[in-house]
Amino acid sequence: MPRPIALLTDFGYQDAYAGIMKGVIAGRCPAAPLIDITHGIPPQDVMGGAMVLRSAVPYFPADSVFLAVVDPGVGGPRKPICIRSGTRLFVGPDNGLLWLAASSCGEPEAFHLNRPEHWLPAVSSTFHGRDLFAPAAAALSAGLEPGALGDPLSNPVRISIPPVIRNPDGLLGEVIYVDGYGNAVTNLQPDDLGTGGGPYRFKVADRFIFGPANCYSTVQAGEPTISLGSWGYFEVAIRDGDAALLLGLQRASPVSVTFPADRAPV
Amino acid sequence: MPRPIALLTDFGYQDAYAGIMKGVIAGRCPAAPLIDITHGIPPQDVMGGAMVLRSAVPYFPADSVFLAVVDPGVGGPRKPICIRSGTRLFVGPDNGLLWLAASSCGEPEAFHLNRPEHWLPAVSSTFHGRDLFAPAAAALSAGLEPGALGDPLSNPVRISIPPVIRNPDGLLGEVIYVDGYGNAVTNLQPDDLGTGGGPYRFKVADRFIFGPANCYSTVQAGEPTISLGSWGYFEVAIRDGDAALLLGLQRASPVSVTFPADRAPV
Amino acid sequence: MPRPIALLTDFGYQDAYAGIMKGVIAGRCPAAPLIDITHGIPPQDVMGGAMVLRSAVPYFPADSVFLAVVDPGVGGPRKPICIRSGTRLFVGPDNGLLWLAASSCGEPEAFHLNRPEHWLPAVSSTFHGRDLFAPAAAALSAGLEPGALGDPLSNPVRISIPPVIRNPDGLLGEVIYVDGYGNAVTNLQPDDLGTGGGPYRFKVADRFIFGPANCYSTVQAGEPTISLGSWGYFEVAIRDGDAALLLGLQRASPVSVTFPADRAPV
């Protein structure tokens, strides 16, 4: 039984690029189950792709191959790689895209996809998703070991989610992702708030929001909330509305928390 | 052979939400065929989702599980449910989303998904598609009976398509859905017009259109038509154009029909 | 083992139309592997759909059925057809959509899908994708010969990519497709430039670009390049930007090449 292949790209939905990758896989490993994570990552947004991939990986079968392509440096010096992390395999460019996910589920072990016998016969300079990454994912799905695709790579590109800054009065966080509903995911997690339980006073775009709320529907339509989102981070949302649009939020917008003296985290 | 699972959501195509539901299913029922109906329902548009689902159901295999999530009340008091209707099964929130489809293909029998052993171990307050509905759909695809997932529910939320108003001079209908081409689906059906055969005089946005036409291409480019659409309702279209945009139509826009005295329906 | 079915339409992602075609296929040939090429062809853009299909076909399994629907003339006199070309099969409207692809991979042999026993029992005038083309694709996937679906058709509609115009000073080409990144695919190919190797002086929107470049990343962010794209044609791109938007390019925008006297192609 081939490993399932989960795909994430910034190829969008107008063109055939994502479909072509699936065609290549179907020709090389016809029984591989193909599952689209998304092809709607904003063009060339490596950090956004890395975070969305990180949020999805825990919910896929543990033997999945994750084929991810957000690749503004295609054709240049950046390397095509595979990472093995626990039972999971990741294929894509060495620009950090795979790192958040791969480092979240085991000890990442990287390989440089430098064996041309596993590529398509002709390799373009603009579409390695088709010419290198799809054939590699198909081979891994069919049971090949990553080491057969290329040499070990000791120092793959690492990226990280911006850390929360802690000061005596509270926490300084930020927006790390805005989703398609306009919900703004922050880098703040329950552990950052300690064991006080709240409510806490969040400051978002010059506005105070008390939270966390239990769900979006605890407030009136049009009102903002902060609640624990499905990524495990606190999210700013507006009930029946687009929080990012209405509050002017984008990645890196500050979101802070003030602790009253008697509720500082321990 | 597992039942096929057909998915409809308002999750859009930017994020991983729809993909994550498929990952959860693949982990629990790997052989379940997954078919996307659409993930492009406008955000939180329960009525739109209900109508699109209703239009799709007759064309899917009769043993399908329909997994539908348009869920502005997620995390609040609305119940997660399953409906059995004839051989078909429906999974989603109890907000009417499933009702038009489920009541169109048999006698709906509802169940409250209140058995935590069939949920993911941790349930968020914002993503029941992942935590409750996908596991339920996977279990049903694998052969579980709906009654094993929860208790019977006697009074699920019902919604209905707005009725056509009939008066001595004709019919007063309305737009119930605008599709991605800008075609405006009305609530008018052939039976409403009786057996006269037409042509009838439709009034749409202060403009008269004689119809029904046999197809879009009976008029010149840029001209509006009314013809029987693929949902079985009359649709306003503009050849090679976007009727909703050009005529200013949206849901609930009036579309009326005037009968000449000698052509009133019988 | 059924043939894989690859789907390309302009149905978009808001509605259920593409999903409904897959539901029809799943009911008639449940084991047929379904692969979306794209459903994002701009509405009613037959030429765009034809070129995208042409670019995708070589990368799909050689026994694939290509089900393509961009069909502004649906319900009118245009014929529903199947084309066999080598081992590949194509199903869709007879408006040129299938032609570029079908004529690129063998000697095209066309059939008129005029046997109602292979249609859905009720055929609408607006959705032949569901009522005629999906059942035909399912039958072909299951092993039926094209000749069983209808009579041979001697003269299917042919379209072609606009030719490059050659004059003593150089070449006059044009943009044939703008992709979702804003890259502008031209009709210029390496053979047109001869064996000189370049660099050549391209003129795009009153701007000179020397090329071809080896890849997008040879220039600074915001700078335009011309490089050999994944379709096998030269493409105008802007690193980390949208070339069509920033340079004002659309289909048929001129792209010319001037040869210095000593570098004219031989």
Side-chain angles (χ1 to χ4, degrees):
Chain A
M1 177 89 181
R3 292 169 175 261
I5 300 176
L7 300 98
L8 176 146
T9 76
D10 68 342
F11 292 163
Y13 292 90
Q14 178 190 323
D15 298 306
Y17 303 130
I20 287 171
M21 289 207 307
K22 294 192 254 189
V24 169
I25 294 169
R28 292 171 165 245
C29 187
L34 299 174
I35 306 177
D36 292 314
I37 302 177
T38 180
H39 301 291
I41 300 297
Q44 298 151 353
D45 181 2
V46 174
M47 178 55 95
M51 290 193 290
V52 171
L53 183 62
R54 164 73 183 79
S55 78
V57 161
Y59 298 96
F60 278 75
D63 64 340
S64 298
V65 177
F66 296 91
L67 169 53
V69 190
V70 180
D71 196 10
V74 61
R78 76 92 191 90
K79 294 186 178 71
I81 61 169
C82 168
I83 301 182
R84 174 163 54 198
S85 193
T87 58
R88 293 172 173 87
L89 298 170
F90 298 84
V91 173
D94 185 29
N95 60 10
L97 177 66
L98 310 177
W99 187 255
L100 295 181
S103 61
S104 74
C105 58
E107 192 59 47
E109 190 185 0
F111 301 85
H112 182 190
L113 300 174
N114 58 1
R115 305 265 163 82
E117 65 268 29
H118 295 290
W119 307 346
L120 290 200
V123 173
S124 70
S125 62
T126 58
F127 194 3
H128 287 186
R130 176 189 73 189
D131 304 332
L132 271 75
F133 300 131
L140 294 169
S141 170
L144 208 70
E145 287 298 310
L149 296 172
D151 298 323
L153 180 73
S154 59
N155 200 16
V157 172
R158 291 160 167 82
I159 61 174
S160 56
I161 291 178
V164 172
I165 296 169
R166 184 175 292 271
N167 63 37
D169 300 329
L171 305 170
L172 181 57
E174 63 184 84
V175 172
I176 57 172
Y177 185 75
V178 173
D179 78 9
Y181 290 94
N183 297 334
V185 182
T186 75
N187 59 347
L188 294 159
Q189 294 183 287
D191 281 355
D192 295 322
L193 296 179
T195 57
Y200 301 96
R201 195 176 71 160
F202 293 83
K203 187 174 180 190
V204 182
D206 293 327
R207 185 157 178 170
F208 293 108
I209 304 173
F210 288 85
N214 287 328
C215 65
Y216 305 140
S217 54
T218 56
V219 296
Q220 301 293 314
E223 285 297 307
T225 58
I226 289 198
S227 60
L228 186 61
S230 66
W231 290 23
Y233 292 92
F234 290 108
E235 288 181 15
V236 183
I238 283 187
R239 186 174 177 187
D240 301 341
D242 183 312
L245 190 69
L246 294 167
L247 299 173
L249 301 175
Q250 54 189 3
R251 196 176 299 162
S253 295
V255 176
S256 60
V257 188
T258 313
F259 296 123
D262 59 342
R263 281 192 188 133
V266 291
Chain B
M1 178 86 180
R3 292 167 176 262
I5 300 176
L7 299 98
L8 175 145
T9 76
D10 68 342
F11 293 163
Y13 292 89
Q14 177 190 324
D15 298 305
Y17 303 130
I20 287 172
M21 289 207 307
K22 294 193 253 187
V24 168
I25 294 168
R28 292 171 165 245
C29 187
L34 299 174
I35 306 176
D36 292 314
I37 301 177
T38 180
H39 301 290
I41 302 297
Q44 298 151 353
D45 180 2
V46 174
M47 178 56 96
M51 290 192 292
V52 171
L53 183 62
R54 164 74 184 81
S55 78
V57 161
Y59 298 96
F60 278 76
D63 64 339
S64 297
V65 177
F66 295 91
L67 169 52
V69 190
V70 180
D71 196 10
V74 60
R78 76 93 191 88
K79 294 186 176 71
I81 61 170
C82 169
I83 301 181
R84 172 163 55 199
S85 194
T87 58
R88 293 172 173 87
L89 298 170
F90 298 84
V91 174
D94 184 29
N95 60 10
L97 177 66
L98 310 177
W99 187 255
L100 295 181
S103 60
S104 75
C105 58
E107 191 61 46
E109 190 185 359
F111 300 86
H112 181 190
L113 301 174
N114 58 1
R115 305 264 161 82
E117 65 267 29
H118 295 291
W119 306 347
L120 291 199
V123 173
S124 70
S125 62
T126 57
F127 194 2
H128 286 186
R130 176 189 72 189
D131 304 332
L132 270 77
F133 300 132
L140 294 169
S141 170
L144 208 69
E145 287 299 311
L149 295 173
D151 299 321
L153 180 73
S154 58
N155 201 17
V157 171
R158 290 160 166 81
I159 61 175
S160 56
I161 290 178
V164 171
I165 296 168
R166 184 174 293 271
N167 62 38
D169 299 331
L171 305 170
L172 181 57
E174 65 184 84
V175 172
I176 58 171
Y177 185 76
V178 174
D179 78 8
Y181 290 94
N183 297 334
V185 182
T186 75
N187 59 347
L188 294 159
Q189 295 183 287
D191 281 356
D192 295 322
L193 296 178
T195 57
Y200 301 96
R201 193 176 72 159
F202 292 82
K203 187 174 180 190
V204 181
D206 294 325
R207 187 157 178 169
F208 292 108
I209 305 173
F210 288 86
N214 288 328
C215 65
Y216 305 140
S217 55
T218 55
V219 295
Q220 300 294 311
E223 284 299 306
T225 59
I226 289 197
S227 60
L228 186 60
S230 65
W231 290 23
Y233 292 93
F234 290 108
E235 289 182 14
V236 183
I238 284 187
R239 186 175 176 184
D240 300 342
D242 183 313
L245 190 69
L246 295 167
L247 299 173
L249 302 175
Q250 53 189 3
R251 195 177 300 161
S253 295
V255 176
S256 61
V257 188
T258 313
F259 296 123
D262 59 342
R263 280 194 188 133
V266 292
Chain C
M1 178 85 180
R3 291 169 176 262
I5 300 176
L7 300 98
L8 176 145
T9 76
D10 69 343
F11 293 163
Y13 291 89
Q14 177 190 322
D15 297 306
Y17 303 131
I20 287 171
M21 289 207 307
K22 294 193 253 187
V24 168
I25 294 168
R28 291 169 166 247
C29 187
L34 299 173
I35 306 177
D36 293 313
I37 301 177
T38 180
H39 301 290
I41 300 298
Q44 297 150 352
D45 180 2
V46 174
M47 178 54 97
M51 289 193 292
V52 171
L53 183 62
R54 164 75 184 80
S55 78
V57 160
Y59 297 97
F60 278 75
D63 64 340
S64 297
V65 177
F66 295 92
L67 169 52
V69 189
V70 179
D71 196 10
V74 59
R78 76 93 191 89
K79 293 186 178 70
I81 62 169
C82 169
I83 301 181
R84 173 165 52 199
S85 193
T87 59
R88 293 172 173 87
L89 299 170
F90 298 85
V91 173
D94 184 29
N95 60 10
L97 177 65
L98 309 177
W99 187 256
L100 295 182
S103 60
S104 75
C105 57
E107 192 60 48
E109 189 186 1
F111 300 86
H112 181 190
L113 300 174
N114 58 0
R115 305 264 163 83
E117 64 269 29
H118 294 291
W119 306 347
L120 291 200
V123 172
S124 70
S125 62
T126 58
F127 194 3
H128 286 186
R130 177 189 72 189
D131 304 332
L132 271 75
F133 300 132
L140 294 170
S141 170
L144 208 70
E145 288 298 311
L149 295 173
D151 298 323
L153 180 73
S154 58
N155 201 16
V157 172
R158 291 161 167 81
I159 61 176
S160 56
I161 291 177
V164 172
I165 296 168
R166 183 174 294 271
N167 63 38
D169 299 330
L171 305 170
L172 180 57
E174 64 184 85
V175 172
I176 58 170
Y177 185 75
V178 174
D179 78 8
Y181 291 94
N183 298 334
V185 183
T186 75
N187 59 346
L188 295 159
Q189 295 184 287
D191 281 356
D192 295 321
L193 296 179
T195 57
Y200 300 97
R201 194 176 72 159
F202 292 83
K203 186 174 181 192
V204 182
D206 294 325
R207 186 158 178 168
F208 293 109
I209 304 174
F210 287 86
N214 287 329
C215 65
Y216 305 140
S217 54
T218 56
V219 295
Q220 301 295 311
E223 283 299 307
T225 59
I226 289 197
S227 60
L228 186 60
S230 65
W231 290 23
Y233 292 93
F234 290 109
E235 289 182 13
V236 183
I238 284 187
R239 186 175 176 187
D240 301 341
D242 183 313
L245 189 69
L246 293 167
L247 299 173
L249 301 175
Q250 53 189 3
R251 194 176 300 161
S253 294
V255 176
S256 61
V257 188
T258 314
F259 295 123
D262 59 342
R263 281 194 187 134
V266 291

